[in-house]
Amino acid sequence: DETGHSFRIRPGTTWARRGLTPVLQRVSKRREVSSIVAITPDGRLYARHFRTSISSRCVIQALRSVRRQIGTPLLVVWDRLNAHRSRATTDFIAAHAQDYAVAYLPAYAPELNPEEQCNALVKRAMANALPGSVDDLHRLARREFGRLKRHPEMIVRFFRHAGLSVTDIP
């Protein structure tokens, strides 16, 4: 799945001395860094970060990267993002049918996607961050996904939270 990170003000709790309301200033309202994240039922996380909106090119790069790292054919479960259903992506999947099988989640069903919990956790961790540049935002996204990667038990819980049975995992 994918998520975007920007300098947009997000609702989040913060602290300041009594009577001094904190003011967070953002330099841009548009998406500056996008992340494509793959998680496995045994708790592994793979993330690729792009400094653009997600396109078919980004999706294909991420698929190749994850396939290389995992080493076995993948069952890819996607939402209905245009980049997932584009001609370039479907042609790539068709050309590599031995490496990828695709299943789509029902429309408007983020609660069935365990990776949405992953994105929410990372965004909550980044809520009070005040990156000074796109480089800082990129580093922050990588760091937060890296922290989550060190907690595979939490990723397994995301699958259970989505109501998915996680069985036969070594």
Side-chain angles (χ1 to χ4, degrees):
D1 199 18
E2 66 295 320
T3 189
H5 311 285
S6 68
F7 292 102
R8 189 176 358 192
I9 295 173
R10 294 177 209 70
T13 58
T14 188
W15 65 274
R17 287 193 203 126
R18 185 170 297 200
L20 298 174
T21 303
V23 177
L24 302 178
Q25 295 180 356
R26 307 289 180 166
V27 295
S28 172
K29 290 187 176 182
R30 60 182 252 270
R31 179 180 287 194
E32 300 285 354
V33 176
S34 299
S35 300
I36 295 181
V37 180
I39 58 175
T40 64
D42 62 349
R44 291 178 286 162
L45 182 145
Y46 305 89
R48 293 280 308 227
H49 308 283
F50 301 91
R51 294 186 186 197
T52 180
S53 294
I54 299 299
S55 65
S56 297
R57 180 188 58 80
C58 299
V59 169
I60 292 167
Q61 280 183 336
L63 283 172
R64 284 184 172 141
S65 173
V66 172
R67 172 66 172 90
R68 220 176 11 256
Q69 292 176 60
I70 291 180
T72 61
L74 303 176
L75 169 60
V76 181
V77 180
W78 273 334
D79 57 14
R80 303 209 177 253
L81 180 73
N82 287 340
H84 296 162
R85 297 178 293 124
S86 72
R87 180 174 300 271
T89 303
T90 54
D91 288 349
F92 174 79
I93 295 290
H96 298 89
Q98 72 280 7
D99 293 328
Y100 307 98
V102 175
Y104 288 96
L105 290 167
Y108 307 108
E111 69 280 359
L112 297 177
N113 188 348
E115 205 279 324
E116 293 291 345
Q117 296 289 319
C118 176
N119 291 338
L121 187 73
V122 167
K123 286 192 175 203
R124 244 187 335 269
M126 294 173 60
N128 288 323
L130 188 56
S133 68
V134 176
D135 288 336
D136 291 344
L137 182 64
H138 189 255
R139 271 191 297 279
L140 182 61
R142 286 179 56 119
R143 184 183 77 202
E144 292 304 328
F145 278 110
R147 281 185 185 175
L148 182 57
K149 190 180 214 176
R150 292 190 300 270
H151 296 282
E153 72 285 350
M154 189 169 292
I155 296 168
V156 170
R157 284 196 296 258
F158 296 156
F159 280 88
R160 291 197 180 110
H161 179 77
L164 301 171
S165 175
V166 181
T167 60
D168 297 329
I169 295 176

